[in-house]
Amino acid sequence: MLEALNAAGKIIQTHQTSAGALRIVVESGVAMAPHCAHTGRSRIAEATIQLMIQRKFYCGTQWGLLTDKQLQQVRDHSFPGSDRDNGKPDIDYSVENAVRLIKAGIPQLVSTDAGTIDPDVAKDFGPEGGPGGLGGHASLIGEAEFIDMQAMQQRGMTPMMILQAATRNIAAAYHKLDAFGTLEAGKLADLIVVDADPLADIQNLRKQSMVVKEGRT
């Protein structure tokens, strides 16, 4: 599949849920994968992160907001478990993995599991909505991106890093940086204008005053 898709100039993504599977993905030559940090009870090996750097691998986020306990872990850089604890049922390495990927400089992509769900089905999930992939409360189309950006900041990304994760990094990951992703002459004029500085507060991206699509407002 990889050989055929690469020959056709297409992009392939994978869906992996363990550190071992992520290692196989990177070794196989895939260049992009969603939710890299979510490897469940297995901690991403340092060798895998170094291979990501060498292969110029891109990671989607699909991150949720942190609890007070998790925020304290990020501030203290003190996370539960170590490599010896792989497989233990009470261990989740996702927050630590995310922090390590950010610190290593692995390019992150603003990405969500936002989707739609039948209203009759949504009733069964209660007042907070369903799972993220079914368009739950944390993954509503049009809202999930802002939640993801806030979650990225909680894990240590700066506003500039988040802006790049929503623009340049995505274009580069899809091999489209020559057409869009940055403001340069000759590229597609797809952009938004906001009324406040997103570098001061990434949530200022909500304050949109104009949307330009292919040069048209």
Side-chain angles (χ1 to χ4, degrees), residues 102-155:
I102 293 167
K103 287 183 177 295
I106 306 299
Q108 303 296 314
L109 310 176
V110 170
S111 52
T112 74
D113 282 330
T116 58
I117 184 170
D118 186 286
D120 292 330
V121 176
K123 293 177 183 177
D124 297 332
F125 291 122
E128 291 190 343
L134 293 175
H137 68 285
S139 291
L140 297 173
I141 294 176
E143 176 67 16
E145 291 80 7
F146 295 113
I147 294 175
D148 190 52
M149 290 180 186
Q150 184 178 350
M152 295 167 93
Q153 190 166 34
Q154 287 180 331
R155 288 160 174 80

Short mmCIF file of all heavy atoms in Angstrom, two decimals, residues 102-155:
data_model
loop_
_atom_site.label_atom_id
_atom_site.label_comp_id
_atom_site.label_asym_id
_atom_site.label_seq_id
_atom_site.Cartn_x
_atom_site.Cartn_y
_atom_site.Cartn_z
N ILE A 102 6.06 16.93 22.34
CA ILE A 102 6.20 18.39 22.18
C ILE A 102 7.63 18.81 22.45
O ILE A 102 8.24 19.56 21.65
CB ILE A 102 5.23 19.13 23.11
CG1 ILE A 102 3.78 18.88 22.69
CG2 ILE A 102 5.52 20.63 23.11
CD1 ILE A 102 2.75 19.32 23.71
N LYS A 103 8.19 18.36 23.56
CA LYS A 103 9.54 18.76 23.93
C LYS A 103 10.57 18.28 22.91
O LYS A 103 11.60 18.92 22.68
CB LYS A 103 9.89 18.22 25.32
CG LYS A 103 9.18 18.94 26.46
CD LYS A 103 9.62 18.41 27.80
CE LYS A 103 8.97 19.19 28.95
NZ LYS A 103 9.43 20.61 28.98
N ALA A 104 10.29 17.14 22.27
CA ALA A 104 11.21 16.60 21.28
C ALA A 104 11.12 17.33 19.95
O ALA A 104 11.98 17.16 19.07
CB ALA A 104 10.94 15.12 21.07
N GLY A 105 10.08 18.15 19.78
CA GLY A 105 9.93 18.90 18.53
C GLY A 105 9.20 18.15 17.44
O GLY A 105 9.29 18.53 16.26
N ILE A 106 8.47 17.09 17.78
CA ILE A 106 7.68 16.38 16.78
C ILE A 106 6.54 17.29 16.33
O ILE A 106 5.75 17.75 17.17
CB ILE A 106 7.08 15.07 17.35
CG1 ILE A 106 8.18 14.19 17.96
CG2 ILE A 106 6.31 14.32 16.27
CD1 ILE A 106 9.25 13.75 17.00
N PRO A 107 6.41 17.60 15.04
CA PRO A 107 5.36 18.51 14.60
C PRO A 107 3.96 17.96 14.92
O PRO A 107 3.65 16.82 14.60
CB PRO A 107 5.57 18.59 13.09
CG PRO A 107 6.98 18.16 12.86
CD PRO A 107 7.26 17.15 13.93
N GLN A 108 3.17 18.77 15.58
CA GLN A 108 1.81 18.40 15.96
C GLN A 108 0.81 19.03 14.99
O GLN A 108 1.05 20.09 14.43
CB GLN A 108 1.51 18.84 17.39
CG GLN A 108 2.48 18.30 18.44
CD GLN A 108 2.44 16.79 18.55
OE1 GLN A 108 1.38 16.18 18.60
NE2 GLN A 108 3.61 16.17 18.58
N LEU A 109 -0.34 18.35 14.83
CA LEU A 109 -1.39 18.84 13.96
C LEU A 109 -2.67 19.02 14.76
O LEU A 109 -3.08 18.11 15.48
CB LEU A 109 -1.66 17.83 12.83
CG LEU A 109 -0.46 17.31 12.05
CD1 LEU A 109 -0.91 16.25 11.04
CD2 LEU A 109 0.27 18.44 11.35
N VAL A 110 -3.29 20.19 14.64
CA VAL A 110 -4.60 20.38 15.26
C VAL A 110 -5.56 19.40 14.58
O VAL A 110 -5.77 19.46 13.38
CB VAL A 110 -5.11 21.82 15.08
CG1 VAL A 110 -6.57 21.92 15.51
CG2 VAL A 110 -4.26 22.79 15.87
N SER A 111 -6.08 18.47 15.35
CA SER A 111 -6.98 17.47 14.78
C SER A 111 -7.94 16.99 15.87
O SER A 111 -7.58 16.97 17.04
CB SER A 111 -6.19 16.29 14.20
OG SER A 111 -5.28 15.77 15.15
N THR A 112 -9.13 16.63 15.45
CA THR A 112 -10.17 16.25 16.40
C THR A 112 -10.90 15.02 15.89
O THR A 112 -10.70 14.56 14.77
CB THR A 112 -11.19 17.37 16.59
OG1 THR A 112 -12.03 17.43 15.43
CG2 THR A 112 -10.52 18.72 16.80
N ASP A 113 -11.77 14.49 16.72
CA ASP A 113 -12.68 13.44 16.32
C ASP A 113 -14.08 14.00 16.11
O ASP A 113 -15.09 13.29 16.28
CB ASP A 113 -12.72 12.33 17.37
CG ASP A 113 -11.51 11.43 17.29
OD1 ASP A 113 -10.97 11.25 16.20
OD2 ASP A 113 -11.09 10.89 18.33
N ALA A 114 -14.15 15.28 15.76
CA ALA A 114 -15.45 15.92 15.58
C ALA A 114 -16.25 15.20 14.51
O ALA A 114 -15.72 14.79 13.48
CB ALA A 114 -15.27 17.39 15.22
N GLY A 115 -17.53 15.07 14.75
CA GLY A 115 -18.39 14.40 13.78
C GLY A 115 -19.85 14.67 14.09
O GLY A 115 -20.18 15.43 14.98
N THR A 116 -20.70 14.04 13.32
CA THR A 116 -22.13 14.20 13.51
C THR A 116 -22.71 12.93 14.09
O THR A 116 -22.15 11.85 13.96
CB THR A 116 -22.83 14.52 12.18
OG1 THR A 116 -22.56 13.47 11.24
CG2 THR A 116 -22.34 15.84 11.62
N ILE A 117 -23.85 13.07 14.73
CA ILE A 117 -24.51 11.92 15.33
C ILE A 117 -26.01 12.12 15.26
O ILE A 117 -26.51 13.25 15.41
CB ILE A 117 -24.05 11.73 16.80
CG1 ILE A 117 -24.67 10.49 17.41
CG2 ILE A 117 -24.33 12.96 17.64
CD1 ILE A 117 -24.08 10.12 18.75
N ASP A 118 -26.73 11.05 15.02
CA ASP A 118 -28.19 11.12 14.94
C ASP A 118 -28.75 11.62 16.27
O ASP A 118 -28.37 11.13 17.34
CB ASP A 118 -28.74 9.71 14.65
CG ASP A 118 -30.24 9.73 14.42
OD1 ASP A 118 -30.99 9.88 15.40
OD2 ASP A 118 -30.64 9.60 13.25
N PRO A 119 -29.64 12.61 16.26
CA PRO A 119 -30.18 13.17 17.51
C PRO A 119 -30.82 12.12 18.41
O PRO A 119 -30.73 12.19 19.64
CB PRO A 119 -31.21 14.19 17.03
CG PRO A 119 -30.74 14.58 15.67
CD PRO A 119 -30.13 13.34 15.08
N ASP A 120 -31.48 11.12 17.81
CA ASP A 120 -32.11 10.09 18.62
C ASP A 120 -31.07 9.24 19.33
O ASP A 120 -31.27 8.81 20.47
CB ASP A 120 -33.00 9.19 17.75
CG ASP A 120 -34.22 9.94 17.22
OD1 ASP A 120 -34.68 10.87 17.92
OD2 ASP A 120 -34.69 9.61 16.12
N VAL A 121 -29.95 9.01 18.66
CA VAL A 121 -28.86 8.25 19.28
C VAL A 121 -28.19 9.09 20.36
O VAL A 121 -27.81 8.58 21.43
CB VAL A 121 -27.83 7.82 18.22
CG1 VAL A 121 -26.66 7.10 18.88
CG2 VAL A 121 -28.47 6.91 17.18
N ALA A 122 -28.05 10.39 20.12
CA ALA A 122 -27.38 11.28 21.07
C ALA A 122 -28.08 11.29 22.43
O ALA A 122 -27.44 11.46 23.46
CB ALA A 122 -27.31 12.70 20.51
N LYS A 123 -29.40 11.09 22.43
CA LYS A 123 -30.14 11.09 23.70
C LYS A 123 -29.64 10.01 24.65
O LYS A 123 -29.69 10.17 25.87
CB LYS A 123 -31.62 10.88 23.42
CG LYS A 123 -32.30 12.02 22.68
CD LYS A 123 -33.76 11.67 22.39
CE LYS A 123 -34.43 12.77 21.58
NZ LYS A 123 -35.83 12.41 21.24
N ASP A 124 -29.16 8.92 24.09
CA ASP A 124 -28.72 7.80 24.92
C ASP A 124 -27.41 8.09 25.66
O ASP A 124 -27.04 7.36 26.57
CB ASP A 124 -28.53 6.54 24.07
CG ASP A 124 -29.85 6.08 23.44
OD1 ASP A 124 -30.89 6.35 24.05
OD2 ASP A 124 -29.80 5.46 22.37
N PHE A 125 -26.71 9.14 25.26
CA PHE A 125 -25.42 9.44 25.85
C PHE A 125 -25.51 10.39 27.03
O PHE A 125 -24.51 10.67 27.67
CB PHE A 125 -24.47 10.03 24.80
CG PHE A 125 -24.04 9.04 23.75
CD1 PHE A 125 -24.29 9.27 22.41
CD2 PHE A 125 -23.39 7.87 24.11
CE1 PHE A 125 -23.89 8.36 21.45
CE2 PHE A 125 -22.99 6.95 23.14
CZ PHE A 125 -23.24 7.20 21.80
N GLY A 126 -26.67 10.91 27.30
CA GLY A 126 -26.81 11.79 28.44
C GLY A 126 -26.53 13.24 28.10
O GLY A 126 -26.26 13.60 26.95
N PRO A 127 -26.55 14.13 29.11
CA PRO A 127 -26.46 15.58 28.86
C PRO A 127 -25.12 16.04 28.32
O PRO A 127 -25.03 17.10 27.71
CB PRO A 127 -26.72 16.18 30.25
CG PRO A 127 -26.32 15.11 31.21
CD PRO A 127 -26.72 13.81 30.54
N GLU A 128 -24.05 15.26 28.53
CA GLU A 128 -22.73 15.71 28.07
C GLU A 128 -22.38 15.19 26.68
O GLU A 128 -21.30 15.42 26.18
CB GLU A 128 -21.65 15.29 29.07
CG GLU A 128 -21.72 16.03 30.39
CD GLU A 128 -20.51 15.78 31.25
OE1 GLU A 128 -19.79 14.81 30.99
OE2 GLU A 128 -20.28 16.58 32.18
N GLY A 129 -23.27 14.47 26.04
CA GLY A 129 -22.99 14.00 24.71
C GLY A 129 -22.28 12.67 24.69
O GLY A 129 -21.97 12.09 25.72
N GLY A 130 -22.01 12.22 23.49
CA GLY A 130 -21.42 10.89 23.31
C GLY A 130 -19.91 10.91 23.19
O GLY A 130 -19.26 11.93 23.44
N PRO A 131 -19.34 9.77 22.79
CA PRO A 131 -17.89 9.69 22.59
C PRO A 131 -17.43 10.71 21.55
O PRO A 131 -18.19 11.11 20.68
CB PRO A 131 -17.71 8.25 22.08
CG PRO A 131 -18.92 7.52 22.56
CD PRO A 131 -20.03 8.52 22.54
N GLY A 132 -16.16 11.09 21.65
CA GLY A 132 -15.63 12.13 20.76
C GLY A 132 -15.88 11.85 19.30
O GLY A 132 -16.27 12.72 18.53
N GLY A 133 -15.62 10.61 18.87
CA GLY A 133 -15.77 10.28 17.47
C GLY A 133 -17.19 10.33 16.98
O GLY A 133 -17.44 10.32 15.78
N LEU A 134 -18.15 10.37 17.89
CA LEU A 134 -19.56 10.44 17.51
C LEU A 134 -20.12 11.85 17.67
O LEU A 134 -21.32 12.04 17.70
CB LEU A 134 -20.38 9.46 18.36
CG LEU A 134 -20.08 7.98 18.12
CD1 LEU A 134 -20.88 7.13 19.10
CD2 LEU A 134 -20.44 7.59 16.69
N GLY A 135 -19.23 12.83 17.77
CA GLY A 135 -19.71 14.19 17.89
C GLY A 135 -20.17 14.54 19.28
O GLY A 135 -21.12 15.28 19.47
N GLY A 136 -19.47 14.00 20.29
CA GLY A 136 -19.81 14.26 21.67
C GLY A 136 -19.53 15.70 22.07
O GLY A 136 -19.07 16.51 21.27
N HIS A 137 -19.77 16.02 23.35
CA HIS A 137 -19.68 17.41 23.80
C HIS A 137 -18.30 18.01 23.58
O HIS A 137 -18.16 19.21 23.39
CB HIS A 137 -20.06 17.49 25.28
CG HIS A 137 -19.08 16.83 26.19
ND1 HIS A 137 -18.99 15.47 26.32
CD2 HIS A 137 -18.13 17.34 27.01
CE1 HIS A 137 -18.03 15.17 27.19
NE2 HIS A 137 -17.50 16.28 27.62
N ALA A 138 -17.25 17.18 23.62
CA ALA A 138 -15.89 17.70 23.42
C ALA A 138 -15.48 17.69 21.96
O ALA A 138 -14.37 18.11 21.63
CB ALA A 138 -14.90 16.88 24.24
N SER A 139 -16.33 17.20 21.08
CA SER A 139 -15.95 17.08 19.68
C SER A 139 -17.06 17.56 18.75
O SER A 139 -17.34 16.95 17.73
CB SER A 139 -15.57 15.63 19.35
OG SER A 139 -14.37 15.27 19.97
N LEU A 140 -17.70 18.64 19.10
CA LEU A 140 -18.71 19.23 18.23
C LEU A 140 -18.02 19.96 17.08
O LEU A 140 -17.03 20.66 17.29
CB LEU A 140 -19.60 20.19 19.00
CG LEU A 140 -20.44 19.58 20.13
CD1 LEU A 140 -21.13 20.68 20.92
CD2 LEU A 140 -21.45 18.59 19.57
N ILE A 141 -18.52 19.78 15.90
CA ILE A 141 -17.94 20.45 14.75
C ILE A 141 -17.97 21.96 14.97
O ILE A 141 -19.01 22.53 15.29
CB ILE A 141 -18.71 20.08 13.46
CG1 ILE A 141 -18.52 18.59 13.15
CG2 ILE A 141 -18.26 20.93 12.29
CD1 ILE A 141 -19.32 18.10 11.97
N GLY A 142 -16.84 22.61 14.79
CA GLY A 142 -16.73 24.05 14.98
C GLY A 142 -16.30 24.44 16.37
O GLY A 142 -15.87 25.58 16.59
N GLU A 143 -16.43 23.54 17.33
CA GLU A 143 -16.01 23.82 18.71
C GLU A 143 -14.80 22.97 19.09
O GLU A 143 -13.93 23.40 19.86
CB GLU A 143 -17.16 23.53 19.67
CG GLU A 143 -16.83 23.70 21.14
CD GLU A 143 -16.54 25.13 21.55
OE1 GLU A 143 -16.89 26.05 20.77
OE2 GLU A 143 -15.97 25.35 22.64
N ALA A 144 -14.71 21.79 18.54
CA ALA A 144 -13.67 20.84 18.94
C ALA A 144 -12.27 21.39 18.69
O ALA A 144 -11.34 21.13 19.47
CB ALA A 144 -13.85 19.52 18.19
N GLU A 145 -12.10 22.15 17.62
CA GLU A 145 -10.77 22.69 17.32
C GLU A 145 -10.28 23.63 18.41
O GLU A 145 -9.10 23.61 18.79
CB GLU A 145 -10.79 23.42 15.96
CG GLU A 145 -10.97 22.52 14.76
CD GLU A 145 -12.43 22.10 14.53
OE1 GLU A 145 -13.33 22.62 15.24
OE2 GLU A 145 -12.65 21.26 13.65
N PHE A 146 -11.19 24.45 18.93
CA PHE A 146 -10.80 25.39 19.98
C PHE A 146 -10.47 24.65 21.28
O PHE A 146 -9.55 25.02 22.01
CB PHE A 146 -11.92 26.41 20.22
CG PHE A 146 -12.17 27.31 19.05
CD1 PHE A 146 -13.36 27.24 18.35
CD2 PHE A 146 -11.22 28.23 18.65
CE1 PHE A 146 -13.59 28.08 17.26
CE2 PHE A 146 -11.44 29.08 17.56
CZ PHE A 146 -12.63 28.99 16.86
N ILE A 147 -11.22 23.60 21.56
CA ILE A 147 -10.93 22.78 22.74
C ILE A 147 -9.57 22.11 22.58
O ILE A 147 -8.76 22.07 23.51
CB ILE A 147 -12.04 21.74 22.96
CG1 ILE A 147 -13.35 22.44 23.32
CG2 ILE A 147 -11.64 20.74 24.04
CD1 ILE A 147 -14.53 21.50 23.44
N ASP A 148 -9.32 21.60 21.38
CA ASP A 148 -8.04 20.94 21.11
C ASP A 148 -6.88 21.91 21.29
O ASP A 148 -5.84 21.57 21.87
CB ASP A 148 -8.04 20.37 19.70
CG ASP A 148 -6.85 19.47 19.41
OD1 ASP A 148 -6.61 18.53 20.20
OD2 ASP A 148 -6.16 19.69 18.41
N MET A 149 -7.04 23.14 20.80
CA MET A 149 -5.98 24.14 20.94
C MET A 149 -5.71 24.46 22.41
O MET A 149 -4.56 24.62 22.82
CB MET A 149 -6.34 25.40 20.17
CG MET A 149 -6.31 25.26 18.66
SD MET A 149 -6.75 26.80 17.83
CE MET A 149 -6.79 26.27 16.12
N GLN A 150 -6.78 24.58 23.19
CA GLN A 150 -6.60 24.84 24.62
C GLN A 150 -5.87 23.67 25.27
O GLN A 150 -4.99 23.86 26.12
CB GLN A 150 -7.97 25.04 25.29
CG GLN A 150 -7.88 25.42 26.76
CD GLN A 150 -9.25 25.66 27.38
OE1 GLN A 150 -10.26 25.74 26.67
NE2 GLN A 150 -9.29 25.76 28.69
N ALA A 151 -6.22 22.46 24.87
CA ALA A 151 -5.56 21.27 25.41
C ALA A 151 -4.08 21.22 25.01
O ALA A 151 -3.24 20.78 25.79
CB ALA A 151 -6.28 20.01 24.92
N MET A 152 -3.78 21.68 23.82
CA MET A 152 -2.38 21.73 23.37
C MET A 152 -1.57 22.69 24.23
O MET A 152 -0.43 22.40 24.61
CB MET A 152 -2.33 22.14 21.89
CG MET A 152 -2.98 21.13 20.96
SD MET A 152 -3.23 21.77 19.29
CE MET A 152 -1.74 21.23 18.48
N GLN A 153 -2.17 23.84 24.54
CA GLN A 153 -1.50 24.80 25.39
C GLN A 153 -1.28 24.24 26.79
O GLN A 153 -0.22 24.44 27.39
CB GLN A 153 -2.29 26.10 25.44
CG GLN A 153 -1.53 27.25 26.12
CD GLN A 153 -2.21 28.59 25.86
OE1 GLN A 153 -3.43 28.68 25.76
NE2 GLN A 153 -1.42 29.64 25.74
N GLN A 154 -2.25 23.52 27.30
CA GLN A 154 -2.13 22.92 28.63
C GLN A 154 -0.94 21.96 28.70
O GLN A 154 -0.31 21.81 29.74
CB GLN A 154 -3.40 22.17 29.00
CG GLN A 154 -4.58 23.07 29.33
CD GLN A 154 -5.81 22.26 29.68
OE1 GLN A 154 -6.01 21.13 29.21
NE2 GLN A 154 -6.66 22.81 30.53
N ARG A 155 -0.63 21.32 27.59
CA ARG A 155 0.46 20.34 27.57
C ARG A 155 1.81 20.96 27.26
O ARG A 155 2.81 20.25 27.20
CB ARG A 155 0.12 19.24 26.55
CG ARG A 155 -0.99 18.30 27.04
CD ARG A 155 -1.62 17.55 25.87
NE ARG A 155 -2.58 16.56 26.31
CZ ARG A 155 -3.83 16.82 26.68
NH1 ARG A 155 -4.27 18.08 26.67
NH2 ARG A 155 -4.64 15.85 27.05
#
